[in-house]
Amino acid sequence: MKQFNRLALIGFGLIGGSIARAARAQGLVGEIVATARSEQTRARVSELGLADAVVKTNAEAVVGADLVILSIPVGACGAAAQEIAPHLAHGAIVSDVGSVKGAIVRDMAPHLPPHAHFVPAHPVAGTEHSGPDSGFAELFINRWCILTPSEGADPDAVERLRAFWAALGARVEIMTAEHHDLVLAITSHLPHLIAYTIVGTADELAQVTSSEVIKFSAGGFRDFTRIAASDPTMWRDVFLSNKDAVLEMLGTFNEDLSRLTRAIRRGDGEALFEHFSRTRAIRRGIVETGQDSAAADFGRPHAHLDKPKD
Ligand code: NAP
């Protein structure tokens, strides 16, 4: 069922490309106008035939659009908002998909005109792949999409964007940008930082050769390498723009790591066992709520295709 006449997609990588594919598959929009920073990506989007029109500039893309979604790195959203502002249609909904929300609101909101409705969003779904070829229509199915409208946001615009994400297959939750950033700091940003650290540490080890690291990676390391392969630009921006929340969570993490380090040093098996039992229960909860499968490697790209049907 058509929800918007014209969807403007600014940025066409994993997320923008998945929105285009899913919106098409569900028949949610009349037409899609896409743009991307490089000529190469724009040419690839045309080749893939995933948009009705591919234009050169952000300003051109938003003309006549009733839904505009920025799917570009967090650090680039302020400048893009400034560029599109004079060209936005009356009543247009402007949204984004950034993994950090406070900085997006800070950088985008001041540029947007009162006749447009700004409703920030973050689909909590992804893979470590990037670019226009990496997207797929099923990416958002059964994943959360968090909307962080400001207090004065137009309820009708919020509802229309909620319905759009729901139609893409997502479960939608609404919270403040500040709360979003705190929650995602522990559930996403800190795990990525740990993965980036551990993979870097393994790479620098003198006593273990890199061929051994690769050979025996199934012992836990492999899952970290997948996360640590995530896009460097995106994650640089995440840590720069969610600094306070990440540092707060990192402080707590370091205290817990010290506690476990002490338990290992002291041979305190009871403390280790109690801790590992508690974390195992959290994993069970995630599987039970359908956010992951008990099958190995659920998170890898296209795993949805070979996931057993239940
Ligand atoms: P991606 O596949 O690398 O695509 C990024 C897009 O942004 C490309 O079209 C790229 O254009 C464009 N771009 C890159 N740098 C830019 C700049 N400085 N100014 C303007 N455009 C620029 O990235 P993605 O994974 O889709 O991520 C996009 C957004 O989604 C980010 O804000 C990220 O926080 C958020 N997000 C990502 C995930 C994930 O797992 N990947 C999950 C949820 C949300 P060119 O191709 O022409 O360079």
Coordinates of all heavy atoms in Angstrom, one line a residue, residues 24-99:
R24 N 10.4 -0.7 -2.4 CA 9.9 -1.2 -3.7 C 9.1 -2.5 -3.5 O 8.1 -2.7 -4.1 CB 11.1 -1.5 -4.6 CG 11.6 -0.3 -5.3 CD 11.1 -0.4 -6.8 NE 11.5 0.7 -7.6 CZ 12.5 0.8 -8.4 NH1 13.2 -0.3 -8.6 NH2 12.7 1.8 -9.1
A25 N 9.8 -3.5 -2.8 CA 9.2 -4.8 -2.6 C 7.8 -4.7 -2.0 O 6.9 -5.5 -2.3 CB 10.1 -5.7 -1.8
Q26 N 7.6 -3.7 -1.1 CA 6.3 -3.6 -0.4 C 5.4 -2.6 -1.1 O 4.3 -2.4 -0.6 CB 6.5 -3.1 1.1 CG 7.4 -4.0 1.9 CD 6.8 -5.4 2.0 OE1 5.6 -5.6 2.1 NE2 7.7 -6.4 2.0
G27 N 5.9 -2.0 -2.2 CA 5.0 -1.0 -2.9 C 4.6 0.2 -2.0 O 3.5 0.7 -2.1
L28 N 5.6 0.7 -1.2 CA 5.3 1.7 -0.2 C 5.3 3.2 -0.8 O 4.8 4.1 -0.2 CB 6.2 1.6 1.0 CG 6.2 0.3 1.8 CD1 7.1 0.4 2.9 CD2 4.8 0.0 2.2
V29 N 6.1 3.3 -1.9 CA 6.2 4.7 -2.4 C 6.0 4.7 -3.9 O 6.2 3.8 -4.6 CB 7.7 5.2 -2.1 CG1 8.0 5.3 -0.6 CG2 8.7 4.3 -2.8
G30 N 5.5 5.9 -4.3 CA 5.2 6.1 -5.7 C 6.5 6.0 -6.6 O 6.6 5.3 -7.6
E31 N 7.4 6.8 -6.1 CA 8.7 6.8 -6.8 C 9.9 7.1 -5.9 O 9.7 7.6 -4.8 CB 8.8 7.8 -8.0 CG 8.5 9.2 -7.6 CD 8.6 10.1 -8.8 OE1 9.2 9.8 -9.8 OE2 8.0 11.2 -8.7
I32 N 11.1 6.6 -6.3 CA 12.3 6.8 -5.5 C 13.3 7.6 -6.3 O 13.6 7.3 -7.5 CB 12.9 5.5 -5.2 CG1 12.0 4.6 -4.3 CG2 14.3 5.7 -4.4 CD1 12.5 3.2 -4.0
V33 N 13.7 8.7 -5.7 CA 14.7 9.6 -6.3 C 16.0 9.4 -5.4 O 15.9 9.6 -4.2 CB 14.4 11.0 -6.3 CG1 15.5 11.9 -7.0 CG2 13.1 11.2 -7.2
A34 N 17.1 9.0 -6.0 CA 18.3 8.7 -5.2 C 19.4 9.6 -5.6 O 19.5 10.0 -6.7 CB 18.7 7.2 -5.4
T35 N 20.3 9.8 -4.6 CA 21.6 10.4 -4.9 C 22.6 9.9 -4.0 O 22.3 9.2 -3.0 CB 21.5 12.0 -4.8 OG1 22.7 12.5 -5.3 CG2 21.3 12.4 -3.3
A36 N 23.9 10.0 -4.4 CA 25.0 9.6 -3.5 C 26.2 10.6 -3.8 O 26.1 11.3 -4.8 CB 25.4 8.2 -3.8
R37 N 27.1 10.5 -3.0 CA 28.3 11.5 -3.1 C 29.1 11.3 -4.4 O 29.3 12.2 -5.1 CB 29.1 11.3 -1.9 CG 30.4 12.2 -1.8 CD 31.1 11.9 -0.6 NE 31.5 10.4 -0.4 CZ 32.3 9.9 0.4 NH1 33.0 10.7 1.2 NH2 32.6 8.6 0.5
S38 N 29.4 10.0 -4.7 CA 30.3 9.8 -5.8 C 29.5 9.4 -7.1 O 28.4 8.8 -7.1 CB 31.3 8.7 -5.5 OG 30.5 7.5 -5.4
E39 N 30.1 9.8 -8.2 CA 29.6 9.5 -9.5 C 29.5 7.9 -9.7 O 28.6 7.4 -10.2 CB 30.5 10.1 -10.6 CG 30.1 9.8 -12.0 CD 28.7 10.1 -12.4 OE1 28.1 11.1 -11.9 OE2 28.0 9.2 -13.0
Q40 N 30.5 7.3 -9.1 CA 30.6 5.8 -9.2 C 29.4 5.1 -8.5 O 28.7 4.3 -9.2 CB 31.9 5.4 -8.5 CG 32.3 4.0 -8.8 CD 33.4 3.5 -7.9 OE1 34.0 4.3 -7.1 NE2 33.7 2.3 -7.9
T41 N 29.0 5.6 -7.4 CA 27.8 5.0 -6.7 C 26.6 5.4 -7.4 O 25.7 4.5 -7.6 CB 27.8 5.5 -5.2 OG1 28.9 5.0 -4.5 CG2 26.5 4.9 -4.5
R42 N 26.5 6.6 -7.9 CA 25.2 7.0 -8.6 C 25.1 6.2 -9.9 O 24.0 5.7 -10.2 CB 25.3 8.5 -9.0 CG 25.3 9.4 -7.8 CD 24.9 10.9 -8.1 NE 26.0 11.5 -9.0 CZ 27.0 12.2 -8.6 NH1 27.2 12.4 -7.3 NH2 27.9 12.7 -9.4
A43 N 26.2 5.9 -10.6 CA 26.1 5.1 -11.8 C 25.7 3.7 -11.4 O 24.9 3.0 -12.1 CB 27.5 5.1 -12.5
R44 N 26.2 3.2 -10.3 CA 25.8 1.8 -9.9 C 24.4 1.7 -9.5 O 23.7 0.7 -9.8 CB 26.7 1.4 -8.7 CG 26.5 -0.1 -8.3 CD 26.9 -1.1 -9.4 NE 26.6 -2.4 -9.0 CZ 26.1 -3.4 -9.8 NH1 26.0 -3.1 -11.1 NH2 25.9 -4.6 -9.4
V45 N 23.8 2.7 -8.9 CA 22.4 2.7 -8.5 C 21.6 2.7 -9.8 O 20.6 2.0 -9.9 CB 22.0 3.9 -7.6 CG1 20.6 4.0 -7.3 CG2 22.9 3.9 -6.3
S46 N 22.0 3.5 -10.8 CA 21.2 3.5 -12.0 C 21.3 2.1 -12.7 O 20.2 1.6 -13.1 CB 21.8 4.5 -13.0 OG 21.8 5.8 -12.5
E47 N 22.5 1.5 -12.7 CA 22.7 0.2 -13.3 C 21.8 -0.9 -12.6 O 21.2 -1.7 -13.2 CB 24.1 -0.2 -13.0 CG 24.8 -0.9 -14.1 CD 26.3 -0.9 -13.8 OE1 26.7 -1.8 -13.0 OE2 27.0 0.0 -14.3
L48 N 21.7 -0.7 -11.2 CA 20.9 -1.7 -10.5 C 19.4 -1.5 -10.7 O 18.6 -2.4 -10.4 CB 21.2 -1.6 -9.0 CG 22.6 -2.1 -8.5 CD1 22.9 -1.7 -7.1 CD2 22.7 -3.7 -8.7
G49 N 19.1 -0.3 -11.2 CA 17.6 0.0 -11.4 C 16.8 0.1 -10.1 O 15.6 -0.2 -10.1
L50 N 17.5 0.5 -9.0 CA 16.7 0.6 -7.8 C 16.1 1.9 -7.5 O 15.4 2.0 -6.4 CB 17.7 0.2 -6.6 CG 18.2 -1.2 -6.6 CD1 19.4 -1.4 -5.6 CD2 17.1 -2.2 -6.3
A51 N 16.2 2.9 -8.4 CA 15.6 4.1 -8.2 C 14.9 4.6 -9.5 O 15.4 4.2 -10.6 CB 16.6 5.2 -7.7
D52 N 13.9 5.4 -9.4 CA 13.2 5.8 -10.6 C 14.0 7.0 -11.3 O 14.0 7.1 -12.5 CB 11.8 6.3 -10.3 CG 11.0 5.2 -9.8 OD1 10.5 4.4 -10.5 OD2 10.9 5.1 -8.5
A53 N 14.8 7.7 -10.4 CA 15.7 8.7 -10.9 C 16.9 8.8 -10.0 O 16.8 8.6 -8.8 CB 14.9 10.1 -11.0
V54 N 18.0 9.0 -10.7 CA 19.3 9.2 -9.9 C 19.8 10.6 -10.2 O 20.0 10.9 -11.4 CB 20.3 8.1 -10.2 CG1 21.6 8.4 -9.4 CG2 19.8 6.7 -9.9
V55 N 19.9 11.4 -9.2 CA 20.3 12.8 -9.5 C 21.7 13.1 -8.9 O 22.1 12.4 -8.0 CB 19.2 13.8 -9.0 CG1 17.9 13.6 -9.8 CG2 19.0 13.7 -7.5
K56 N 22.2 14.3 -9.3 CA 23.6 14.5 -8.9 C 23.7 15.1 -7.5 O 24.7 14.9 -6.7 CB 24.3 15.5 -9.9 CG 24.8 14.8 -11.1 CD 25.8 15.7 -11.8 CE 26.4 14.9 -12.9 NZ 27.0 15.8 -14.0
T57 N 22.7 16.0 -7.1 CA 22.9 16.7 -5.8 C 21.8 16.4 -4.8 O 20.7 16.0 -5.2 CB 22.9 18.2 -6.1 OG1 21.6 18.6 -6.5 CG2 23.9 18.7 -7.1
N58 N 22.1 16.6 -3.6 CA 21.1 16.4 -2.5 C 19.9 17.3 -2.7 O 18.8 17.0 -2.5 CB 21.7 16.7 -1.1 CG 22.9 15.7 -0.8 OD1 22.9 14.6 -1.4 ND2 23.7 16.1 0.1
A59 N 20.2 18.6 -3.1 CA 19.2 19.6 -3.3 C 18.2 19.1 -4.4 O 17.0 19.2 -4.2 CB 19.8 20.9 -3.7
E60 N 18.7 18.6 -5.5 CA 17.8 18.1 -6.6 C 17.0 17.0 -6.1 O 15.8 16.8 -6.4 CB 18.7 17.6 -7.7 CG 19.2 18.5 -8.7 CD 20.1 17.8 -9.7 OE1 19.6 17.3 -10.7 OE2 21.3 17.8 -9.4
A61 N 17.6 16.1 -5.3 CA 16.9 14.9 -4.9 C 15.6 15.2 -4.1 O 14.6 14.4 -4.2 CB 17.8 14.0 -4.0
V62 N 15.6 16.2 -3.2 CA 14.5 16.4 -2.3 C 13.3 17.2 -2.9 O 12.2 17.2 -2.3 CB 14.9 17.1 -1.0 CG1 16.0 16.3 -0.3 CG2 15.3 18.6 -1.2
V63 N 13.5 17.7 -4.1 CA 12.5 18.5 -4.7 C 11.2 17.7 -4.9 O 11.3 16.6 -5.5 CB 12.9 19.1 -6.0 CG1 11.8 19.8 -6.8 CG2 14.1 20.1 -5.8
G64 N 10.1 18.1 -4.3 CA 8.8 17.4 -4.5 C 8.7 16.1 -3.7 O 7.7 15.4 -3.8
A65 N 9.7 15.8 -2.8 CA 9.6 14.6 -2.1 C 8.8 14.8 -0.8 O 8.9 15.8 -0.1 CB 11.0 14.1 -1.7
D66 N 7.9 13.8 -0.5 CA 7.2 13.9 0.8 C 7.9 13.1 1.9 O 7.5 13.2 3.1 CB 5.7 13.6 0.7 CG 5.5 12.3 -0.1 OD1 6.4 11.7 -0.6 OD2 4.3 11.9 -0.3
L67 N 8.9 12.3 1.6 CA 9.7 11.6 2.6 C 11.2 11.7 2.1 O 11.5 11.3 1.0 CB 9.3 10.2 2.8 CG 10.2 9.4 3.7 CD1 10.2 10.0 5.1 CD2 9.7 7.9 3.8
V68 N 12.0 12.2 3.0 CA 13.5 12.4 2.7 C 14.2 11.6 3.7 O 14.0 11.8 4.9 CB 13.9 13.9 2.7 CG1 15.4 14.0 2.5 CG2 13.1 14.7 1.7
I69 N 15.1 10.7 3.3 CA 15.9 9.9 4.3 C 17.3 10.0 4.0 O 17.8 9.7 2.9 CB 15.4 8.4 4.4 CG1 14.0 8.3 4.7 CG2 16.3 7.7 5.4 CD1 13.5 6.9 4.8
L70 N 18.1 10.5 4.9 CA 19.6 10.6 4.8 C 20.2 9.3 5.3 O 20.0 8.9 6.5 CB 20.1 11.8 5.6 CG 20.1 13.2 5.1 CD1 18.7 13.6 4.8 CD2 20.8 14.1 6.0
S71 N 20.9 8.6 4.4 CA 21.6 7.4 4.8 C 23.1 7.5 4.6 O 23.6 6.8 3.8 CB 21.0 6.2 4.1 OG 19.6 6.1 4.2
I72 N 23.6 8.5 5.2 CA 25.1 8.8 5.1 C 25.7 8.8 6.4 O 25.0 8.8 7.5 CB 25.2 10.2 4.4 CG1 24.5 11.3 5.2 CG2 24.6 10.1 3.0 CD1 24.6 12.7 4.5
P73 N 27.0 8.9 6.5 CA 27.7 8.9 7.9 C 27.2 10.1 8.8 O 26.8 11.1 8.3 CB 29.2 9.1 7.5 CG 29.3 8.6 6.1 CD 28.0 8.9 5.4
V74 N 27.1 9.8 10.0 CA 26.6 10.8 11.0 C 27.2 12.1 10.8 O 26.5 13.2 10.8 CB 26.8 10.2 12.4 CG1 26.4 11.3 13.5 CG2 25.9 9.0 12.6
G75 N 28.5 12.2 10.7 CA 29.2 13.4 10.6 C 28.9 14.2 9.4 O 29.3 15.4 9.3
A76 N 28.3 13.7 8.4 CA 28.0 14.4 7.1 C 26.5 14.9 7.1 O 26.1 15.6 6.2 CB 28.2 13.4 5.9
C77 N 25.7 14.6 8.1 CA 24.3 14.9 8.1 C 24.0 16.4 8.3 O 23.0 16.9 7.7 CB 23.5 14.1 9.2 SG 23.4 12.4 8.7
G78 N 24.8 17.1 9.1 CA 24.5 18.5 9.3 C 24.7 19.3 8.0 O 23.8 20.1 7.6
A79 N 25.7 19.1 7.2 CA 26.0 19.8 6.0 C 24.9 19.4 5.0 O 24.4 20.3 4.2 CB 27.3 19.4 5.4
A80 N 24.5 18.2 4.9 CA 23.4 17.7 4.0 C 22.1 18.4 4.3 O 21.4 18.9 3.4 CB 23.3 16.2 4.0
A81 N 21.8 18.6 5.6 CA 20.5 19.2 6.1 C 20.6 20.7 5.6 O 19.5 21.2 5.1 CB 20.4 19.2 7.6
Q82 N 21.7 21.3 5.7 CA 21.8 22.7 5.3 C 21.6 22.8 3.8 O 20.9 23.7 3.3 CB 23.2 23.2 5.7 CG 23.4 24.7 5.4 CD 24.7 25.2 6.0 OE1 25.6 24.4 6.3 NE2 24.9 26.5 6.2
E83 N 22.1 21.9 3.1 CA 22.0 21.9 1.6 C 20.6 21.7 1.1 O 20.1 22.3 0.2 CB 22.9 20.8 1.0 CG 23.1 20.9 -0.5 CD 23.8 19.7 -1.1 OE1 24.5 19.0 -0.3 OE2 23.6 19.5 -2.3
I84 N 19.8 20.8 1.8 CA 18.5 20.4 1.3 C 17.4 21.4 1.8 O 16.4 21.6 1.2 CB 18.1 19.0 1.7 CG1 18.0 18.8 3.2 CG2 19.0 18.0 1.0 CD1 17.4 17.4 3.6
A85 N 17.7 22.1 2.9 CA 16.7 22.9 3.6 C 15.9 23.8 2.6 O 14.6 23.8 2.7 CB 17.3 23.7 4.7
P86 N 16.5 24.6 1.8 CA 15.7 25.5 0.9 C 14.9 24.8 -0.1 O 14.0 25.5 -0.7 CB 16.8 26.4 0.2 CG 18.1 26.1 0.9 CD 18.0 24.7 1.5
H87 N 15.1 23.6 -0.3 CA 14.4 22.9 -1.4 C 13.3 21.9 -0.9 O 12.7 21.2 -1.8 CB 15.5 22.1 -2.2 CG 16.6 22.9 -2.7 ND1 16.5 23.8 -3.7 CD2 17.8 23.2 -2.1 CE1 17.7 24.5 -3.8 NE2 18.5 24.1 -2.8
L88 N 13.1 21.8 0.4 CA 12.1 20.9 0.9 C 10.7 21.3 0.6 O 10.4 22.5 0.8 CB 12.4 20.7 2.4 CG 13.6 20.0 2.9 CD1 13.9 20.2 4.4 CD2 13.5 18.5 2.5
A89 N 9.9 20.3 0.3 CA 8.5 20.6 0.0 C 7.8 20.9 1.4 O 8.2 20.4 2.4 CB 7.8 19.4 -0.6
H90 N 6.6 21.6 1.3 CA 5.8 21.8 2.5 C 5.3 20.5 3.0 O 4.8 19.7 2.2 CB 4.7 22.8 2.2 CG 5.0 24.2 2.4 ND1 4.7 24.9 3.5 CD2 5.8 25.0 1.6 CE1 5.2 26.1 3.4 NE2 5.9 26.2 2.3
G91 N 5.5 20.3 4.3 CA 4.9 19.1 4.9 C 5.8 17.8 4.7 O 5.5 16.7 5.2
A92 N 7.0 18.0 4.1 CA 7.9 16.9 3.9 C 8.4 16.3 5.2 O 8.7 17.1 6.2 CB 9.1 17.3 3.0
I93 N 8.5 15.0 5.3 CA 9.1 14.4 6.5 C 10.6 14.2 6.2 O 10.9 13.6 5.2 CB 8.4 13.1 6.9 CG1 7.0 13.4 7.2 CG2 9.2 12.4 8.0 CD1 6.1 12.1 7.5
V94 N 11.4 14.7 7.1 CA 12.9 14.5 6.9 C 13.4 13.6 8.0 O 13.1 13.8 9.2 CB 13.6 15.9 7.0 CG1 15.1 15.7 6.9 CG2 13.1 16.9 6.0
S95 N 14.1 12.5 7.6 CA 14.6 11.6 8.6 C 16.0 11.1 8.2 O 16.5 11.6 7.2 CB 13.6 10.4 8.7 OG 13.9 9.6 9.8
D96 N 16.5 10.3 9.0 CA 17.9 9.8 8.8 C 18.0 8.4 9.4 O 16.9 7.9 9.8 CB 18.9 10.7 9.5 CG 18.9 10.4 11.0 OD1 17.8 10.6 11.6 OD2 19.9 10.0 11.6
V97 N 19.1 7.8 9.3 CA 19.2 6.4 9.8 C 20.5 6.3 10.7 O 20.9 5.2 11.0 CB 19.4 5.4 8.7 CG1 18.1 5.4 7.9 CG2 20.6 5.7 7.8
G98 N 21.0 7.4 11.1 CA 22.3 7.5 11.9 C 22.3 6.6 13.2 O 21.3 6.6 13.9
S99 N 23.4 6.1 13.5 CA 23.6 5.2 14.6 C 23.7 6.0 15.9 O 23.7 5.4 17.0 CB 24.8 4.3 14.5 OG 24.7 3.7 13.2

